[in-house]
Every structure is written in C-alpha cells, then in structure tokens.
Amino acid sequence: MTDCSPLAVAMEEEESTAMAMEVEESPSTSIAPRDPPKIQRLEESVVNRIAAGEVIQRPVSAVKELVENSLDADSTSISVTVKDGGLKLIQVSDDGHGIRREDLPILCERHTTSKLSKYEDLFSLSSMGFRGEALASMTYVAHVTVTTITKGQIHGHRVSYRDGVMEHEPKACAAVKGTQIMVENLFYNMIARRKTLQNSADDYGKIVDLLSRMAIHHNNVSFSCRKHGAVKADVHSVVSSSRLDSIRSVYGVSVAKSLIKVEVSSGESSGCAFDMEGFVSNSNYVAKKTILVLFINDRLVECSALKRAIEIVYAATLPKASKPFVYMSINLPREHVDINIHPTKKEVSLLNQEIMIEMIQSEVELKLRNTNDTRTFQEQKVEYIQSTLKSSRSDTPVSPLPSGQKTPKVPVHKMVRTDSSDPAGRLHAFLQPKPHNLPDTVSSLSAVRSSIRQRRNPKETADLSSVQELLSGVDGCCHPGLLETVRNCTYVGMADDVFALVQYQTHLYLANVVNLSKELMYQQTLRRFAHFNAIQLSDPAPLSELILLALQEEDLDPENNEKDHLKERIAEMNTELLMEKVEMLEEYFSVFIDSDGNLSRLPVILDQYTPDMDRVPEFLLCLGNDVEWEDEKACFQGVSAAIGNFYAMHPPLLPNPSGDGVRFYYTKTSEKSSQENPALGGNVEMESVLDQDLLSDAETAWAQREWSIQHVLFPSMRLFLKPPASMASNGTFVKVASLEKLYKIFERC
Ligand code: ADP
Ligand code: MG
C-alpha cells in the first residue's frame, strides 16, 4: 500500500486519463467552428460510476474497504480469496456481527452507514468507515453479493446488488457466523480501467502486502489470504498477544530478529500530544526498499513526510541498512487527524505533523546510535564518479594515469584553457568524455564506490580529546536562533548560483549554500572522525600530477614556462609532505594514498553525496599548504576544514548554462567552415558553434548540484548543522522579506 514508486504514480495517471476517456464518451464529435456545446446533466448512474472509480481505484482498494468493514464489525477472523488479481473475484469472509435483514435493502445505497449519523460524530469516530460509500461504489463497478447472518438467527440471507440497489429480495440460506462479501468482475463496465489493470502486474501482490500490514497491527484478529483454488495461504496470521510474534509470523524470523523497539510519548508541553510505539530494523536488516507500516489511530495510512524523515536518519546513521523495515502505531487525539481529506482515507493530514516527525526522528536516531556497536558491515556498490585524468595541456602533456586502459584523445575544443579569466574548462576538460550511446546522462564519469569496513573501535576515538574539543567548539558557537531557522526552514529554490531562497515561518531568507555546506561538511568530518565509509576511486590518481594541476590553475601567468620548473618542485615537495602523513590521513580521515603516491580513496561525509572531482587538485594543494601538521588539534581542524571546503556545494566549474551563461559554450571555428563550404572560398570569418557536449555536461552538473542541495544538503542540515553565530552577520543568512508585509502590500494593490 505504501507503494510510491514512479510506476505506481504512472499507473494512477494512466488511470485518470482512462477515466477521462470514459467520461468523454458522450456525443461531442462536431467539427470546429461550432456553437458552444450544450451543458447537460449527467445521468445519475454515470455520476455514480465516476465517483465509484475514485473510491475503488484498483482491486486492492476494494479489499481494503471490505477488510475494514469486517474489522468494524468486531470480527476475530478474516479471510480473503482472490482470483485473477481481484478482477474476477474478491471474496472477504468474516465472523463479525453481521448485517440485519431489514438493513439489506439500503446496504449498498450511497451514503448509508451505521457508523455516523451527524457531522460531529466525525470527531469521535473510532470505526474505519464512515462515509457509507465503499459498498455502494463496488456495486457500480462490479457485481456484489452479500451473505450474512446476525446473532440469534436460524438462517442467513443472501442478496446481490447492482448500481446501488438489490437485484432481488434477500434469499434465505445457510450461513456461518458473520458476513461474506463477494465482488465479481470488477470494472466490467470501465473498459479502459480494466485494460490498464490487466496489462499491469496484477494486484495480488499488493493485496498480500495489505493483509500482511493489517495482520501485524490487528494482532487480535487472524487473517488469511489466498488465491482462489490454492491450498496454501499466502498470508496466514494467528491471534497473538505480542506484536513481535505477529511480525515474525507474517514477515519472517529474520525480520523479527533485527528489530529494535521504539517508543515516544510526548507530553502536552510539546504542543502536540501523541504516543508512538513501534519497531525499527537495525543494521542487520538490508533491503532494497523501505517498508513503513504506519497506523494512525488504528488506521493503515501513508505519510510520505514521515517515511522520508526516517530514511534520512538511516542514511545518516546506518548507511548500509538505509532501507529499513519500520512498524509504527501512532495514537493521537481524534480531533487532530483529518481523515476526511482523501476519499480512500489513505493519506491523512495531521495537526503539528512537523513536530511529531521530528520527535520520532530523534527517537529513532537515538536508538540506532545506541545499537551501533553491534553493527555488521556489508559491501555495497554505488554509482560514482570515475576520475580518469588526462593531460593538462596540449603542449605539456602530463603522463596519463595508470588506469590500465587507453583513454580516447580529448578533442582540441575540450582542452583546458589556462586563461584564468576564462572559467570554462579546467579539470573538466581532462576527464574522459562519456560514451554517447549511454542513456545515463547523470554523470559524465563513473566509478565504484565501495564501503570499507570501519577499522577502529568507536570508543577509542571518543578519547581523542582534541576532536572532542573541536566539537565542543562547534556546539559552543552555535547560534540558537539560526539553529531554529535551519531546523524548520523550507527550501524554496535557488535564487542564483550561490543563494537559495528559504522560508522560515513568515520570513524569506537568502541562504548561502556554499558557506552552509562548507560548515556542515566540516562539522560532519569531525563527527565522523575515524569512522568514515570510503569512496573508492576506480582509477587511482597520482598526487604529484594533481597538485601540479592545481598550481597551474592558480597561476596567473601560465605562459611563463620558466615557472614550470618551480611548480614541479613545489608539487614534489607537497607530495613528499603528504606521503609522510598517509597513515594518519587514512586512519582518521579515510583519505587513502597508496605507496606509489596515488590517491585512491576519499571519505563519505554525507551519504548519497559525492564531491565534485574537479576539486581534487585544489584539495590536495590545500592539504599540503594550509594544514598546520605539528599541533594535533590544529592539524585535525585544518584537514577537516580542507575536506569541508572540498565537499562544499560550490557552483560547478563549468559556468551555469542557463540564461547568459550559454555564451561560454559557443566555440569559434573558422577553417572548418570554409573547408566544408567551398562557396565561402578563402573567407576566414569566424563562426560560432554551440559545443553541445560541453553544454550538456554543464547542464547535468548544475542540475545534479541543485538536486543535491534540495535533497541532501537541506535535509542533512536540518538534522546535523549547528550554525555558528558568525553566520548571522557574515551574509550567510539574509532576510529578504516578511510575508506579512508582502501581504499588506498586495492588499493595497
Ligand atoms: P462505511 O463503512 O463507511 O459505513 P460501507 O459502504 O463500507 O460504509 O458499509 C456500509 C455499511 O454496511 C456499514 O456501515 C456497515 O453497517 C455495513 N457492513 C458492511 N460490511 C459489513 C460487514 N462485513 N459486517 C457487518 N456490517 C457490514
Ligand atoms: Mg466501510
């Protein structure tokens, strides 16, 4: 039910177009120009069918409604049988209180319910249903037969419904306690919907998933679900007093074994009263997809904000197990939940949702951190950037890196320009061009990123007092007002290359993402000190060449060849210096340099984030030049700051191609055009040609950065950043508008 995959979304969209097509079947085929079409009242059956299609979107939604009805009827045993993914048959049998004979005639009319009689009842409702719409809807899009018996009756009754009404008087029949509802030929009269569903993977998997979720929450009810004719049930739960037992019986021993109990009980003081109890998986549970089984006031719902929030905590604390299994049951005052927002009651809207989510996040984080000691690690492969470097200049080739494979020659127009006033090119131009037949345009480079086992005992590092002092320094400088802003702000979008627009309460701020990310990376480097996972570069890159490259880039007078020798010397010295520090760099910072002087590993500072490899040379130069190696604390601070600067979300080196920036991607060609076009003769007039490859690289780099800012930087900042007081005055945060004032201005207009 929590299937939010793009596929599911696409399905829904397809369905709505299918719906639209069905509705448009009415006559309006005249050709323009034409008179305004006549407005006519839709027949009631058409209206009902459209409404029904909204409540019952697919077989699994019918099952959910039927099972909820059974639960509302105090059943202790519910069994579901499904044929053809639910399109042919859905049958739900329960042992609940049954339906009275005299209610059968109106049972399937719209808005007939036994659960609500006046609007105010909505706020004290404890049942799942209340709209009296589900059964009616089913009769408009399927054939429904109900067999039921109430307590004290000698026989039951069976009756079939179509379009909300009984097809015949209820017939007496033998019946066992409770109600059995049969829904046959679902969407028989909605051809497009039926076709779409038939073409997609059938709903049986979704139905099994639904019942599994229901079964672990309602552990006082036994559930079963099977395909029609099958002997073995795919879900089979027995009544059990322990939630963990029911999870074990439904999801298996290995899931149950890796669960940690979580509980939050908020006091009234927090402004939102709620209780949460549940289970979350530990580091031993590794899966491809997050499972969040969420019940709010006993109703199975979805809450994408909570799911995302939990995923962020896992990504930060247990990156290898970042797709958790989570069961949560939240109870809060009924008046704080608006279940009425969605006809299928699937997404709920909660009062003070943000505060709740934050409290749950902290609790989960705490539990995960406490159990971290027992974590086991698994290797994982992640798409990453391959740093295959090529020669820096056409005239002074730097020897190719020992990548083991020949890299194609870089076309002249892609060579780096050493004119420092021209920001285009730089290291980007040395990187291996991406093969054009690859559909993946996300990154022009790729490499393996593998997680490396943590080698040190966490407790040992906690004793390194210098790191502790640096961290206390971070805490001490934290500005409470900014902290509040960072935790609760909403990202609006990028205002320019460096500033993001964010909203906090009714204020709009410009936030400098470079400063913020640099500080966040610095702080995270200290927090993860000696506990980094590693990014493995697929092709180790020689330090001396990288440093030389950085020196050349810094140089304002690149044509002066005499300086080259000097630069090489500086590069050599810096390399020697770093080679002396390799052990320390590896052990504490996961910056690994092999014995041949090749950089081959970098630390993971934020999960899901890879730094811009164009900045490696600058980083190494900075390590060599700016770090105070002799004093322990200053050294750790210096290296962390260098890493912070390297990983910060700087604007990509290629200029922003949107707007005016596109002119950087026009290259001047002359000879080529005159040769190709003899009519031009000796005309050597320059012609501008758009460099599509470079442009698309630039577009990708900028789009990727913006994605990272929104999806990695801001969520991580909310969790981890302690903004220093200096940020309040150094232009990192600038208030640009107050919405109240803006509204006032608009009112006057
Ligand atoms: P709602 O659940 O919103 O009231 P439904 O259309 O789902 O509306 O059901 C209409 C009514 O039918 C319910 O209010 C309930 O009284 C009755 N009903 C439906 N299913 C069952 C069942 N399995 N056992 C007993 N009563 C049921
Ligand atoms: Mg119902």
Side-chain angles (χ1 to χ4, degrees):
M1 291 296 293
T2 45
D3 193 348
C4 315
S5 65
L7 199 75
V9 174
M11 268 298 306
E12 310 255 90
E13 278 166 8
E14 247 181 277
E15 278 170 13
S16 45
T17 25
M19 280 284 306
M21 279 159 58
E22 279 159 1
V23 179
E24 278 164 14
E25 267 169 24
S26 45
S28 67
T29 43
S30 54
I31 310 152
R34 54 179 191 153
D35 294 335
K38 187 173 178 311
I39 298 177
Q40 33 187 311
R41 206 176 291 279
L42 283 175
E43 264 178 47
E44 205 177 308
S45 64
V46 178
V47 175
N48 284 333
R49 201 193 301 171
I50 293 169
E54 278 166 26
V55 179
I56 308 297
Q57 291 178 340
R58 40 192 320 145
V60 67
S61 21
V63 176
K64 182 168 188 252
E65 292 292 344
L66 294 171
V67 170
E68 286 185 345
N69 280 347
S70 297
L71 288 168
D72 283 344
D74 303 329
S75 309
T76 59
S77 163
I78 300 172
S79 55
V80 179
T81 307
V82 176
K83 195 170 174 180
D84 201 7
L87 289 179
K88 205 107 219 92
L89 168 78
I90 295 168
Q91 181 178 304
V92 176
S93 314
D94 65 50
D95 62 352
H97 55 52
I99 303 163
R100 261 188 287 252
R101 158 72 180 84
E102 59 267 35
D103 289 340
L104 288 175
I106 59 157
L107 175 71
C108 293
E109 275 176 28
R110 279 186 84 189
H111 312 304
T112 54
T113 176
S114 56
K115 301 165 193 173
L116 182 74
S117 56
K118 52 185 192 302
Y119 184 74
E120 290 68 37
D121 293 349
L122 258 181
F123 303 105
S124 55
L125 205 69
S126 62
S127 59
M128 316 248 172
F130 58 85
R131 289 165 182 261
E133 248 176 337
L135 280 183
S137 299
M138 286 176 223
T139 68
Y140 284 98
V141 293
H143 304 132
V144 176
T145 305
V146 177
T147 309
T148 185
I149 184 167
T150 48
K151 211 169 157 199
Q153 300 293 306
I154 347 163
H155 62 81
H157 288 97
R158 175 173 303 152
V159 58
S160 298
Y161 296 85
R162 211 178 264 217
D163 295 342
V165 293
M166 291 199 298
E167 288 192 300
H168 52 80
E169 278 300 304
K171 290 180 189 153
C173 65
V176 286
K177 181 178 190 255
T179 306
Q180 184 191 69
I181 299 189
M182 234 176 14
V183 177
E184 289 169 288
N185 303 319
L186 187 57
F187 304 129
Y188 73 97
N189 50 1
M190 297 176 83
I191 317 290
R193 173 92 55 115
R194 204 176 159 88
K195 274 212 183 106
T196 324
L197 287 168
Q198 268 165 346
N199 291 341
S200 69
D202 79 29
D203 260 22
Y204 187 65
K206 288 190 166 46
I207 295 170
V208 168
D209 183 50
L210 167 76
L211 289 162
S212 307
R213 287 163 190 257
M214 291 278 202
I216 60 174
H217 183 72
H218 299 280
N219 53 344
N220 52 345
V221 178
S222 76
F223 286 85
S224 81
C225 175
R226 74 186 76 224
K227 277 190 175 162
H228 182 75
V231 186
K232 201 174 155 290
D234 296 293
V235 178
H236 182 75
S237 75
V238 288
V239 175
S240 114
S241 56
S242 131
R243 174 121 318 124
L244 206 55
D245 281 348
S246 52
I247 296 180
R248 187 177 300 111
S249 84
V250 176
Y251 284 91
V253 184
S254 65
V255 175
K257 223 170 47 186
S258 13
L259 296 181
I260 314 166
K261 193 165 172 51
V262 286
E263 266 172 319
V264 177
S265 191
S266 80
E268 282 292 332
S269 56
S270 64
C272 76
F274 77 98
D275 289 324
M276 180 279 281
E277 59 163 26
F279 290 94
V280 297
S281 56
N282 63 18
S283 59
N284 297 329
Y285 176 86
V286 178
K288 288 211 182 76
K289 238 173 117 181
T290 299
I291 298 182
L292 169 62
V293 182
L294 175 64
F295 283 81
I296 294 183
N297 290 354
D298 295 320
R299 185 185 299 276
L300 178 62
V301 290
E302 286 175 18
C303 180
S304 30
L306 178 62
K307 186 174 178 188
R308 179 78 199 115
I310 294 173
E311 283 181 329
I312 289 173
V313 173
Y314 272 82
T317 40
L318 293 180
K320 296 325 148 313
S322 62
K323 300 281 177 224
F325 175 94
V326 177
Y327 160 80
M328 265 177 204
S329 168
I330 297 177
N331 280 300
L332 62 168
R334 299 202 180 272
E335 60 274 19
H336 288 188
V337 197
D338 185 359
I339 33 180
N340 214 6
I341 60 164
H342 197 277
T344 61
K345 309 173 225 93
K346 214 161 92 173
E347 274 270 359
V348 288
S349 163
L350 306 172
L351 206 64
N352 299 323
Q353 180 164 300
E354 287 76 21
I355 308 177
M356 251 175 69
I357 290 182
E358 202 176 290
M359 289 174 79
I360 293 174
Q361 245 183 342
S362 319
E363 164 69 9
V364 172
E365 190 183 357
L366 191 75
K367 280 282 155 64
L368 294 183
R369 290 214 185 278
N370 288 344
T371 49
N372 241 358
D373 292 345
T374 58
R375 61 204 263 195
T376 50
F377 290 84
Q378 256 123 33
E379 283 270 313
Q380 139 194 325
K381 273 198 173 179
V382 185
E383 276 292 302
Y384 188 59
I385 291 181
Q386 176 187 39
S387 61
T388 309
L389 294 161
K390 288 214 69 194
S391 67
S392 69
R393 283 178 179 184
S394 52
D395 52 352
T396 52
V398 176
S399 62
L401 300 177
S403 62
Q405 63 182 53
K406 265 195 174 169
T407 40
K409 206 168 184 297
V410 176
V412 178
H413 67 271
K414 283 199 137 193
M415 292 283 183
V416 86
R417 276 169 272 197
T418 43
D419 175 2
S420 64
S421 65
D422 177 4
R426 310 234 302 187
L427 194 61
H428 216 92
F430 303 96
L431 301 166
Q432 192 177 8
K434 66 174 170 256
H436 289 286
N437 52 354
L438 276 184
D440 170 28
T441 52
V442 177
S443 163
S444 55
L445 312 155
S446 74
V448 184
R449 159 169 156 173
S450 77
S451 325
I452 309 296
R453 222 169 256 268
Q454 249 178 255
R455 301 189 326 151
R456 290 171 60 90
N457 175 354
K459 292 202 181 69
E460 271 177 49
T461 28
D463 297 339
L464 271 177
S465 55
S466 50
V467 177
Q468 289 310 315
E469 279 172 35
L470 289 169
L471 277 169
S472 320
V474 167
D475 288 345
C477 291
C478 180
H479 185 288
L482 282 183
L483 182 66
E484 180 67 13
T485 311
V486 166
R487 292 231 162 130
N488 299 298
C489 69
T490 313
Y491 170 81
V492 179
M494 290 303 288
D496 66 10
D497 294 353
V498 171
F499 283 95
L501 202 55
V502 296
Q503 186 182 342
Y504 170 61
Q505 291 179 346
T506 52
H507 306 298
L508 281 179
Y509 291 87
L510 283 174
N512 183 320
V513 293
V514 176
N515 287 359
L516 284 166
S517 56
K518 197 183 287 183
E519 181 63 26
L520 175 68
M521 302 293 178
Y522 166 74
Q523 295 182 5
Q524 285 306 95
T525 306
L526 292 176
R527 289 188 192 109
R528 292 193 166 187
F529 189 82
H531 289 89
F532 295 97
N533 286 321
I535 298 169
Q536 180 84 40
L537 306 187
S538 59
D539 295 301
L543 281 191
S544 52
E545 283 172 24
L546 291 168
I547 295 174
L548 189 61
L549 210 59
L551 287 166
Q552 280 162 352
E553 285 188 14
E554 276 197 341
D555 197 347
L556 296 175
D557 182 15
E559 295 313 313
N560 186 349
N561 288 341
E562 282 163 31
K563 279 201 196 154
D564 280 356
H565 178 70
L566 188 64
K567 275 182 240 156
E568 276 163 29
R569 185 72 204 110
I570 299 175
E572 244 171 64
M573 280 163 51
N574 269 319
T575 310
E576 278 165 24
L577 171 73
L578 293 184
M579 289 306 286
E580 283 170 23
K581 313 290 178 197
V582 285
E583 265 178 31
M584 193 272 265
L585 283 171
E586 188 203 351
E587 181 144 26
Y588 293 148
F589 296 100
S590 185
V591 173
F592 182 69
I593 298 163
D594 66 20
S595 51
D596 298 328
N598 296 317
L599 174 74
S600 67
R601 235 181 261 158
L602 288 168
V604 174
I605 308 292
L606 282 186
D607 305 297
Q608 300 180 345
Y609 178 70
T610 301
D612 182 352
M613 285 297 148
D614 286 2
R615 294 188 183 270
V616 173
E618 187 189 326
F619 165 61
L620 293 171
L621 186 63
C622 175
L623 278 187
N625 282 348
D626 303 346
V627 174
E628 169 61 71
W629 294 95
E630 301 315 316
D631 173 66
E632 183 181 283
K633 187 171 161 189
C635 166
F636 290 162
Q637 183 173 30
V639 178
S640 304
I643 293 179
N645 189 36
F646 170 27
Y647 281 61
M649 295 184 183
H650 298 276
L653 294 177
L654 286 169
N656 192 341
S658 67
D660 254 7
V662 77
R663 69 196 150 87
F664 286 102
Y665 301 93
Y666 281 98
T667 41
K668 303 263 189 233
T669 56
S670 51
E671 305 109 55
K672 218 175 153 207
S673 58
S674 53
Q675 271 165 19
E676 273 169 10
N677 189 350
L680 289 173
N683 191 351
V684 284
E685 212 174 284
M686 303 283 257
E687 192 186 323
S688 286
V689 176
L690 187 60
D691 185 339
Q692 285 293 354
D693 288 351
L694 203 60
L695 178 65
S696 91
D697 283 355
E699 280 168 351
T700 308
W702 281 86
Q704 241 173 10
R705 172 174 179 257
E706 185 155 358
W707 190 92
S708 298
I709 290 172
Q710 184 178 357
H711 299 281
V712 180
L713 179 63
F714 273 89
S716 311
M717 263 169 34
R718 264 174 225 131
L719 280 178
F720 307 119
L721 184 68
K722 297 265 173 74
S726 59
M727 281 189 170
S729 54
N730 69 1
T732 302
F733 270 99
V734 186
K735 194 197 276 188
V736 284
S738 144
L739 293 181
E740 292 110 328
K741 286 186 190 150
L742 278 183
Y743 289 145
K744 274 195 198 124
I745 294 170
F746 289 141
E747 272 168 18
R748 268 186 249 130
C749 294

